[in-house]
């Protein structure tokens, strides 16, 4: 029972461990899936945002693209670059015109350079930072235009310090390229717009330098290290003014199965867009925290669910345990009540048993006395006859003595002796019968008990002319009991049989003794009146008798029954097929005594 309980609780523990492991694995898988799907979702959003940012950038630049081209065909500018190069008055006129156009177009600066890189006219000719008179021949947009190409270049203004995008176009005359027209677009408003948008977006150029960013602290920082040669080149064109172009702490990492980047120890989901005609990269970053937050929420929900299930199961188990224990308590109360009742019944039974036993003992004793009483009549009859005979023998002995017939006298005296011996035998039997049964049992040879019983009823057998047949066993059979009581059993059966055959002519009494299945079986059969239904039903009831004129006490069979049961035997009465009754008694065989 204890082992079974231990097995059950082990099984429950394993079940819980399995449930917890599955729960944890499931929660982890779900959080991973949430991470991946959030990353995919964010990437999709990022692509849309990038497209938007790219659109605003291109829009901001493209609207000025045609300005240098249009101005390169302006006759005044052409004249300034050819015939009126050293005419300051004409230069001012062109500058004024450029200023007007610049204001109208809302560009930052419009200016004209000769083929040596000297600025001849500029929209900011009146400003303190006027470009007029400065030489920018080192700027790539000048060099590109001098090669007949459209120049495009991002740089920090040398004179103004304002970052801007420069677009240039060559001015052609018959003799070739005579100068370059340039428009500078201020990107500061766009950057402000990006910063105010609250998102993380930036552009890096072909050298991986961030030159436009929603984050000011990342401006003019590089994503990848720049070779010294390249750095020299950048410095020579003074693209980023005096910026030292430090490298950001930037590296690639992986998160929720997605490639992400880490800048200054913070992780971002990065989506890039290549702006091909500028060889720029537009970057859009989503902080990974957003993904982590969703994953944490998933884990929290999973944990709460697990804990809830666990607590609910514990609660249900507790309740069930309580129900079981209260049911058990109820059952044990019932059992206790039954036990108490049983105890009472046992006490009662013992008391009844004791009473019965003493009653039975009394009955045995009473039965014996009754039997003795009845027997004494027969015995008196038996003894009276020898006494009468003895009287006759003694009287004739005296006569023989007077006559001196000594020899005949001796015969007479011998007869007297044998008569007294017979009387002694009868009284001896009576003594045995009157004794109370001993409490200690012994091995009794069954035929000996039967023989003694027969000896005791012999006068009745003789007077009734009963033919007695005995079929003894093949060898000695023993039963455990006491001789006196066993004798009494057979005396009762024999006496009843003799009584039942009272009015029968040829009285036959048969006794069979044999061993069957480790039992000693005794059958006492007569050819008397037999047993009718009324008799059979009350046979063993005390004081049941059919014998009239106070001949029977109705105790014989009841005492017999008690003795047989006492000796763990069995008694059964049936009718013979040919008439008469048969009593079958069975006792367990006992081992033959060793002495
Ligand atoms: P009692 O002999 O004093 O009547 P018992 O208890 O010995 O008391 O017998 C009860 C009754 O059983 C008898 O009165 C008799 O009617 C019946 N009985 C017993 N043995 C026999 C038998 N062998 N044949 C017919 N009747 C019997």
């Amino acid at each position: 029972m204890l082992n079974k309980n231990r097995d059950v609780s082990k099984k429950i523990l394993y079940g819980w461990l399995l449930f917890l492991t599955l729960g944890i694995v499931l929660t982890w898988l779900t959080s991973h899936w949430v991470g991946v799907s959030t990353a995919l979702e964010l990437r999709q959003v990022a692509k849309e945002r990038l497209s938007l940012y790219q659109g605003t950038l291109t829009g901001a630049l493209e609207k000025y693209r045609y300005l240098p081209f249009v101005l390169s065909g302006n006759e005044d500018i052409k004249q300034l670059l050819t015939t009126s190069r050293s005419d300051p008055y004409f230069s001012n006129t062109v500058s004024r015109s450029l200023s007007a156009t610049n204001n109208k177009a809302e560009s930052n600066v419009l200016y004209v350079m000769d083929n040596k890189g000297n600025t001849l006219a500029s929209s900011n000719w009146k400003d303190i930072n006027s470009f007029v008179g400065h030489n920018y021949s080192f700027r790539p947009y000048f060099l590109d235009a001098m090669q007949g190409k459209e120049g495009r270049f991002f740089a920090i203004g040398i004179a103004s310090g304002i970052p801007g995008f420069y677009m240039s176009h060559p001015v052609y005359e018959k003799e070739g390229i005579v100068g370059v027209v340039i428009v500078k677009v201020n990107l500061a408003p766009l950057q402000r717009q990006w910063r105010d948008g609250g998102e993380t977006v930036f552009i890096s150029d072909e050298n991986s330098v961030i030159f436009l960013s929603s984050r000011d602290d990342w401006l003019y920082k590089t994503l990848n290290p720049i070779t010294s040669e390249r750095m020299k080149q950048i410095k020579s064109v003074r693209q980023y003014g005096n910026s030292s172009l430090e490298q950001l702490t930037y590296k690639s990492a992986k998160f929720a199965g997605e490639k992400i980047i880490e800048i200054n120890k913070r992780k971002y989901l990065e989506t890039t867009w290549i702006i091909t005609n500028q060889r720029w990269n537009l970057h859009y970053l989503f902080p990974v925290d957003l993904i982590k937050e969703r994953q944490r929420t998933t884990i929290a929900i999973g944990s709460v669910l697990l804990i809830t299930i666990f607590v609910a199961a514990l609660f249900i188990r507790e309740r069930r345990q309580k129900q079981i224990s209260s049911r058990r308590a109820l059952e044990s109360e019932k059992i206790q009540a039954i036990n108490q009742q049983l105890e009472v019944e046992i006490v009662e039974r013992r008391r009844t048993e004791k009473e019965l036993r003493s009653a039975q003992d009394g009955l045995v004793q009473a039965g014996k006395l009754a039997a003795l009483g009845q027997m004494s009549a027969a015995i008196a009859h038996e003894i009276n006859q020898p006494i009468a005979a003895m009287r006759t023998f003694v009287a004739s002995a005296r006569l023989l003595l007077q006559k001196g017939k000594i020899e005949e006298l001796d015969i007479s005296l011998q007869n007297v002796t044998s008569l007294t011996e017979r009387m002694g035998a009868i009284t001896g039997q009576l003594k045995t019968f009157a004794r109370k049964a001993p409490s200690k049992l012994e091995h009794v040879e069954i035929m000996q008990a039967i023989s003694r019983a027969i000896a005791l009823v012999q006068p009745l057998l003789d007077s009734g002319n009963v033919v007695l047949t005995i079929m003894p066993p093949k060898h000695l059979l023993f039963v455990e009991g006491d001789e006196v009581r066993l004798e009494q059993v057979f005396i009762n059966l024999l006496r009843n049989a003799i009584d039942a055959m009272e009015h029968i002519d040829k009285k036959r009494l048969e006794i069979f003794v044999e061993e069957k299945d480790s039992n000693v079986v005794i059958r006492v059969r007569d050819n008397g009146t037999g047993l009718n239904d009324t008799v059979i039903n009350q046979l063993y009831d005390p004081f049941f008798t059919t014998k009239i004129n106070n001949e029977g006490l109705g105790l014989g069979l009841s005492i017999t029954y008690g003795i047989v049961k006492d000796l763990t035997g069995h008694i059964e009465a049936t009718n013979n097929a040919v008439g008469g009754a048969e009593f079958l008694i069975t006792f367990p065989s006992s081992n033959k005594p060793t002495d």
Side-chain angles (χ1 to χ4, degrees):
M1 184 72 183
L2 213 72
N3 272 347
K4 208 177 157 192
N5 273 348
R6 206 175 295 154
D7 279 357
V8 170
S9 46
K10 241 186 199 175
K11 266 186 196 166
I12 291 173
L13 184 75
Y14 288 151
W16 273 117
L17 281 179
L18 190 73
F19 168 76
L20 277 179
T21 317
L22 279 178
I24 290 165
V25 169
L26 208 74
T27 309
W28 183 83
L29 281 176
T30 316
S31 94
H32 182 76
W33 176 79
V34 165
V36 172
S37 67
T38 309
L40 282 174
E41 188 189 316
L42 292 183
R43 205 173 280 292
Q44 194 54 39
V45 174
K47 273 185 187 160
E48 283 162 20
R49 300 298 296 155
L50 272 178
S51 158
L52 201 75
Y53 278 107
Q54 198 260 350
T56 54
L57 176 75
T58 321
L61 300 179
E62 287 302 297
K63 74 176 182 189
Y64 301 106
R65 192 180 155 194
Y66 298 100
L67 215 51
F69 165 70
V70 172
L71 290 175
S72 68
N74 184 287
E75 286 307 321
D76 285 350
I77 291 172
K78 281 187 176 178
Q79 190 186 326
L80 177 70
L81 290 170
T82 48
T83 50
S84 310
R85 286 172 66 123
S86 43
D87 182 351
Y89 179 73
F90 192 68
S91 162
N92 287 351
T93 310
V94 173
S95 288
R96 205 175 286 121
S97 155
L98 285 174
S99 175
T101 313
N102 189 49
N103 283 342
K104 200 81 183 152
E106 292 177 341
S107 52
N108 187 225
V109 189
L110 265 176
Y111 54 107
V112 177
M113 283 160 70
D114 67 11
N115 54 5
K116 297 283 179 299
N118 296 314
T119 311
L120 300 184
S122 174
S123 61
N124 61 359
W125 64 291
K126 270 196 164 168
D127 291 359
I128 202 160
N129 295 324
S130 167
F131 291 177
V132 180
H134 289 278
N135 185 294
Y136 299 120
S137 58
F138 54 88
R139 292 288 211 187
Y141 59 81
F142 171 74
L143 300 169
D144 284 344
M146 284 308 290
Q147 282 174 18
K149 292 188 273 183
E150 274 187 19
R152 286 162 172 269
F153 186 59
F154 174 86
I156 297 173
I158 291 163
S160 62
I162 297 168
F165 189 64
Y166 299 82
M167 287 180 276
S168 63
H169 198 277
V171 180
Y172 289 99
E173 270 297 53
K174 285 173 221 113
E175 59 267 38
I177 297 170
V178 289
V180 179
V181 182
I182 304 111
V183 61
K184 182 186 176 186
V185 181
N186 186 359
L187 292 177
L190 190 67
Q191 178 156 317
R192 233 182 347 264
Q193 204 180 312
W194 284 11
R195 193 177 47 224
D196 295 346
E199 294 175 343
T200 311
V201 61
F202 63 86
I203 302 176
S204 62
D205 67 8
E206 66 270 29
N207 296 316
S208 81
V209 177
I210 299 169
F211 64 89
L212 200 65
S213 168
S214 61
R215 301 228 358 208
D216 290 343
D217 54 332
W218 291 358
L219 270 178
Y220 313 125
K221 301 266 165 69
T222 67
L223 296 175
N224 299 316
I226 299 175
T227 58
S228 53
E229 205 177 309
R230 197 95 187 110
M231 189 63 104
K232 238 184 249 167
Q233 211 177 327
I234 294 168
K235 291 277 175 201
S236 72
V237 295
R238 298 171 70 184
Q239 188 175 5
Y240 295 110
N242 296 324
S243 299
S244 56
L245 303 182
E246 279 170 31
Q247 200 195 335
L248 277 177
T249 326
Y250 168 91
K251 59 179 177 183
S252 295
K254 273 214 155 213
F255 189 83
E258 286 283 323
K259 185 180 170 280
I260 54 159
I261 59 159
E262 194 182 309
I263 298 176
N264 291 343
K265 295 195 173 151
R266 199 164 170 203
K267 288 184 176 132
Y268 298 92
L269 180 77
E270 183 193 37
T271 313
T272 51
W273 185 298
I274 301 166
I275 304 171
T276 34
N277 53 353
Q278 310 295 351
R279 290 190 292 159
W280 293 345
N281 272 316
L282 183 57
H283 304 252
Y284 187 89
L285 306 185
F286 259 126
V288 163
D289 299 353
L290 206 79
I291 303 174
K292 273 189 182 167
E293 209 169 282
R294 283 202 191 174
Q295 284 186 313
R296 270 198 293 268
T297 312
T298 312
I299 289 171
I301 291 171
S303 310
V304 167
L305 259 174
L306 270 181
I307 291 166
T308 312
I309 293 171
F310 188 71
V311 169
L314 274 185
F315 177 72
I316 291 168
R317 193 158 172 257
E318 183 80 16
R319 237 179 60 166
R320 207 187 292 155
Q321 291 281 18
K322 263 187 195 163
Q323 277 173 352
I324 291 171
S325 53
S326 66
R327 204 169 54 218
R328 277 195 190 147
L330 213 75
E331 274 168 13
S332 76
E333 257 173 42
K334 271 186 198 166
I335 290 170
Q336 231 170 339
I338 291 169
N339 275 347
Q340 276 172 357
Q341 204 179 328
L342 265 177
E343 268 169 32
V344 171
E345 276 171 19
I346 287 168
V347 171
E348 181 68 15
R349 211 187 117 91
R350 279 203 187 125
R351 201 175 55 79
T352 318
E353 218 174 75
K354 211 172 147 189
E355 276 173 12
L356 267 177
R357 207 176 290 267
S358 68
Q360 200 183 50
D361 280 355
L363 280 176
V364 169
Q365 212 53 21
K368 276 181 191 170
L369 290 173
L372 261 177
Q374 288 180 338
M375 203 69 99
S376 48
I379 290 161
H381 171 74
E382 279 295 303
I383 288 173
N384 277 343
Q385 277 180 340
I387 287 172
M390 272 165 69
R391 219 179 267 136
T392 315
F393 281 129
V394 170
S396 67
R398 285 175 75 182
L399 276 175
L400 288 170
L401 189 67
Q402 282 168 12
K403 287 177 186 172
K405 291 178 180 176
I406 301 299
E407 277 174 32
E408 285 176 39
L409 174 71
D410 186 48
I411 293 166
S412 227
L413 288 175
Q414 271 177 26
N415 283 332
V416 171
T417 309
S418 73
L419 282 170
T420 51
E421 274 171 6
R422 183 172 159 75
M423 285 160 69
I426 292 167
T427 49
Q429 294 280 14
L430 279 173
K431 253 198 240 166
T432 322
F433 184 77
R435 237 190 354 234
K436 197 173 187 285
S439 55
K440 196 171 168 286
L441 299 178
E442 54 200 8
H443 296 281
V444 179
E445 202 268 299
I446 198 73
M447 280 313 292
Q448 196 178 319
I450 294 171
S451 302
R452 279 179 187 261
I454 293 169
L456 277 170
V457 297
Q458 194 61 51
L460 297 173
L461 289 171
D462 292 346
S463 62
N465 289 325
V466 178
V467 181
L468 174 68
T469 315
I470 301 170
M471 294 282 282
K474 292 191 182 84
H475 50 88
L476 295 183
L477 292 178
F478 292 85
V479 297
E480 209 170 336
D482 60 278
E483 209 171 297
V484 177
R485 295 209 291 166
L486 275 168
E487 273 169 36
Q488 196 169 354
V489 166
F490 298 117
I491 288 168
N492 287 338
L493 293 178
L494 295 175
R495 284 191 63 244
N496 279 342
I498 295 163
D499 287 346
M501 294 186 294
E502 194 184 349
H503 304 294
I504 304 293
D505 276 346
K506 290 179 178 170
K507 298 168 182 152
R508 275 203 317 273
L509 183 58
E510 292 163 337
I511 301 172
F512 303 93
V513 183
E514 61 180 332
E515 188 173 34
K516 214 176 186 181
D517 304 330
S518 308
N519 284 319
V520 175
V521 180
I522 305 117
R523 270 178 292 175
V524 179
R525 189 189 287 172
D526 61 63
N527 63 342
T529 51
L531 308 158
N532 64 33
D533 283 352
T534 334
V535 174
I536 277 206
N537 288 337
Q538 305 173 69
L539 209 54
Y540 306 107
D541 291 353
F543 306 110
F544 171 76
T545 179
T546 56
K547 292 168 192 168
I548 41 170
N549 300 333
N550 287 340
E551 275 176 24
L553 283 173
L555 291 171
L557 280 182
S558 125
I559 292 164
T560 302
Y561 184 85
I563 295 169
V564 171
K565 286 284 149 194
D566 244 18
L567 304 180
T568 64
H570 177 78
I571 182 165
E572 202 179 316
T574 50
N575 280 310
N576 279 329
V578 289
E582 176 175 324
F583 281 81
L584 186 132
I585 301 148
T586 315
F587 291 115
S589 291
S590 106
N591 290 333
K592 188 179 175 182
T594 44
D595 55 346

